[in-house]
Amino acid sequence: MAEQTFIMIKPDGVQRGLVGEIIARFEKKGFYLKGLKLISVERAFAEKHYADLSAKPFFSGLVDYIISGPVVAMIWEGKNVVVTGRKIIGATNPAQSEPGTIRGDYAIDIGRNVIHGSDSVESARKEIALWFPDGSVNWQSSQHSWIYE
Ligand code: IDP
Ligand code: MG
């Protein structure tokens, strides 16, 4: 199967009306949308998603942030989508994110950085299994041969 990543538009991105803009960036790049839902998650679920960060001082604030409103959970697929997705998103701290990236263009503070993207193929696999237990939607784009040589 082609590489997949888990992308989540955080509650601030939903509240600020950035859902369409963010989806458009991944679509126009040529990645394929293979899963999509608007969902509010409970504290225990958010803690599981961010389990690797449980020792960090900002952990409880981070969990409060993620459960503060609905998020848009997505699976995106394509060649190198994990690494390229992180580039489209930009550096964790928007103060260091390049203009042209999502965080560089739409965020100011690290604790309100609009979007999440898996940091490796292995975390993508885990995060997709957590957020999409039924797996991804199987479809093929009719544009495939216009995007890949
Ligand atoms: P990432 O989202 O770029 O992968 P991580 O280090 O995995 O960054 O951190 C997860 C999320 O935790 C960040 O996107 C951000 O929302 C939040 N976060 C990270 N560092 C801080 C911090 O120092 N203060 C507040 N929130 C932070
Ligand atoms: Mg991370």
Side-chain angles (χ1 to χ4, degrees):
M1 191 176 57
E3 186 171 305
Q4 295 186 332
T5 194
F6 173 69
I7 301 290
M8 170 183 53
I9 305 174
K10 296 176 176 177
D12 49 339
V14 175
Q15 287 287 346
R16 293 174 57 200
L18 298 174
V19 171
E21 174 66 33
I22 289 169
I23 289 177
R25 290 186 180 208
F26 282 85
E27 271 188 322
K28 288 175 187 169
K29 172 69 176 171
F31 292 133
Y32 303 140
L33 183 61
K34 294 288 175 105
L36 172 71
K37 60 184 174 185
L38 178 74
I39 179 177
S40 294
V41 299
E42 312 233 306
R43 178 167 298 275
F45 187 94
E47 286 174 352
K48 200 166 177 190
H49 171 75
Y50 279 124
D52 292 351
L53 300 175
S54 61
K56 300 282 185 190
F58 57 82
F59 182 69
S60 75
L62 172 60
V63 170
D64 288 341
Y65 165 44
I66 295 306
I67 67 172
S68 64
V71 300
V72 174
M74 295 177 281
I75 301 169
W76 285 92
E77 184 178 291
K79 192 193 282 181
N80 296 323
V81 68
V82 171
V83 164
T84 305
R86 296 275 296 188
K87 285 184 188 162
I88 290 171
I89 288 171
T92 303
N93 187 342
Q96 266 106 52
S97 314
E98 295 296 328
T101 66
I102 291 167
R103 288 168 173 166
D105 287 349
Y106 301 123
I108 304 281
D109 271 352
I110 192 167
R112 295 290 184 272
N113 63 359
V114 171
I115 182 166
H116 165 85
S118 308
D119 63 8
S120 67
V121 170
E122 178 56 17
S123 6
R125 194 191 55 74
K126 280 192 210 157
E127 291 171 1
I128 290 168
L130 176 66
W131 288 81
F132 291 92
D134 296 334
S136 56
V137 175
N138 185 22
W139 68 284
Q140 304 305 322
S141 169
S142 61
Q143 296 186 21
H144 192 80
S145 63
W146 295 105
I147 297 169
Y148 290 89
E149 65 180 12

